[in-house]
Amino acid sequence: MHIAAATQLLLDARHSGLALDWRRLAVGDAETAYAVQDAQLLRLGPVGGWKVGSKGDGSLPGCAALPASGIVASGSELRGPQWRMRGLEVELALRVGRDYDPGEQEPDEAELRTVFDAILPAIEVVETRLGHPPCTNPWAGMADLQSHGALIIGAAQPLPATLSLRQIVAGLHIDGQEIIRTTGGNPAELWTMLGWLALHCARRGQPWRGGQIITTGSCTGLQLARGGRLVAAALEGIGAVSLSFAA
């Protein structure tokens, strides 16, 4: 499928609120999926950050550019028909402190620590524009900004001396009820994954810019708010973050 056609189908689904049958989105590889992401961001506004995730099994991570308009502060209310799925993932995010291009070499932890200036608790709201589940084409989901809906971020904290996803304690409450609490729920190797992302973004012609937010995958797995309206999450020792869905 031509990149422009796939991009238009996804944007039409996003703006209409009507799900797109994923079988119409003939995206067959990662290169095409990332090109469709880039084409969408040209229409949705500037890149405000990136999401990246890894299974922690040695396979390549996956990522998506995030529209700046969808990165909002803790306490925000989300309203409108586009919030159908109401998927929730509690995540660790980092803030880019300066413009950064790694050149041709994947950076290590020591170098990356000079790039980031803060960590933040975050909730990614997961929403797909694709219908007729289950979608068996992973590239279609990747083209759909990896099912990104919004990123809710809490207060920034200084980057600690040690930071590992495999030690983070995360919890999620919906309407006051604890839904899940995990320790080390994200299997990714944080600094290896971030090094991959830095090089990947630069090679896509989109090196990191100061102020962008990088979110690093779910610590709690995907949870569904269903009819829930009030969502609160916390990363132990890092901070809390919340959002609400309008009735």
Side-chain angles (χ1 to χ4, degrees), residues 24 29 68 84 95 143 179 195 244:
R24 296 182 61 197
D29 54 41
R84 301 186 305 269
R95 187 176 66 197
I179 302 302
S244 62

Side-chain angles (χ1 to χ4, degrees), residues 19-20 82 84-85 126-131 141 144 147-149:
L20 167 67
Q82 70 269 38
R84 301 186 305 269
M85 182 175 172
V126 178
E127 290 290 342
T128 180
R129 269 57 62 179
L130 305 180
D144 184 31
S147 301
H148 173 72

Side-chain angles (χ1 to χ4, degrees), residues 125-151:
V125 180
V126 178
E127 290 290 342
T128 180
R129 269 57 62 179
L130 305 180
H132 201 86
C135 175
T136 59
N137 179 4
W139 311 121
M142 182 176 283
D144 184 31
L145 303 186
Q146 288 195 328
S147 301
H148 173 72
L151 187 69

Side-chain angles (χ1 to χ4, degrees), residues 110-136:
E111 182 171 354
L112 288 166
R113 281 183 169 276
T114 73
V115 177
F116 295 111
D117 67 358
I119 58 174
L120 313 89
I123 301 171
E124 184 180 19
V125 180
V126 178
E127 290 290 342
T128 180
R129 269 57 62 179
L130 305 180
H132 201 86
C135 175
T136 59

Side-chain angles (χ1 to χ4, degrees), residues 76-223:
S76 295
E77 182 183 67
L78 304 182
R79 60 174 58 246
Q82 70 269 38
W83 308 111
R84 301 186 305 269
M85 182 175 172
R86 296 187 178 187
L88 304 166
E89 295 182 343
V90 183
E91 307 194 1
L92 172 74
L94 297 91
R95 187 176 66 197
V96 179
R98 59 181 175 89
D99 291 358
Y100 178 65
D101 187 330
E104 294 301 319
Q105 186 171 350
E106 190 172 299
D108 60 13
E109 177 180 349
E111 182 171 354
L112 288 166
R113 281 183 169 276
T114 73
V115 177
F116 295 111
D117 67 358
I119 58 174
L120 313 89
I123 301 171
E124 184 180 19
V125 180
V126 178
E127 290 290 342
T128 180
R129 269 57 62 179
L130 305 180
H132 201 86
C135 175
T136 59
N137 179 4
W139 311 121
M142 182 176 283
D144 184 31
L145 303 186
Q146 288 195 328
S147 301
H148 173 72
L151 187 69
I152 317 300
I153 54 174
Q157 303 293 332
L159 197 66
T162 60
L163 186 61
S164 169
L165 293 171
R166 298 173 185 178
Q167 297 175 354
I168 289 178
V169 178
L172 176 69
H173 288 73
I174 300 176
D175 288 341
Q177 179 181 356
E178 183 173 76
I179 302 302
I180 191 169
R181 183 177 178 83
T182 62
T183 300
N186 188 335
E189 184 62 48
L190 177 64
W191 297 108
T192 300
M193 181 173 64
L194 290 172
W196 174 89
L197 180 67
L199 188 58
H200 170 90
C201 292
R203 288 176 172 172
R204 271 170 77 171
Q206 300 188 64
W208 295 345
R209 301 302 181 193
Q212 287 183 341
I213 302 297
I214 312 296
T215 191
T216 60
S218 180
C219 294
T220 54
L222 177 64
Q223 309 297 320

Side-chain angles (χ1 to χ4, degrees), residues 20-108:
L20 167 67
D21 188 331
W22 65 268
R23 294 168 298 184
R24 296 182 61 197
L25 200 64
V27 178
D29 54 41
E31 181 179 1
T32 304
Y34 287 137
V36 173
Q37 287 184 13
D38 291 343
Q40 288 177 83
L41 266 292
L42 289 175
R43 304 268 293 277
L44 294 173
V47 175
W50 295 83
K51 63 178 290 185
V52 63
S54 170
K55 297 178 182 178
D57 59 1
S59 60
L60 279 179
C63 70
L66 307 183
S69 60
I71 301 176
V72 297
S74 179
S76 295
E77 182 183 67
L78 304 182
R79 60 174 58 246
Q82 70 269 38
W83 308 111
R84 301 186 305 269
M85 182 175 172
R86 296 187 178 187
L88 304 166
E89 295 182 343
V90 183
E91 307 194 1
L92 172 74
L94 297 91
R95 187 176 66 197
V96 179
R98 59 181 175 89
D99 291 358
Y100 178 65
D101 187 330
E104 294 301 319
Q105 186 171 350
E106 190 172 299
D108 60 13

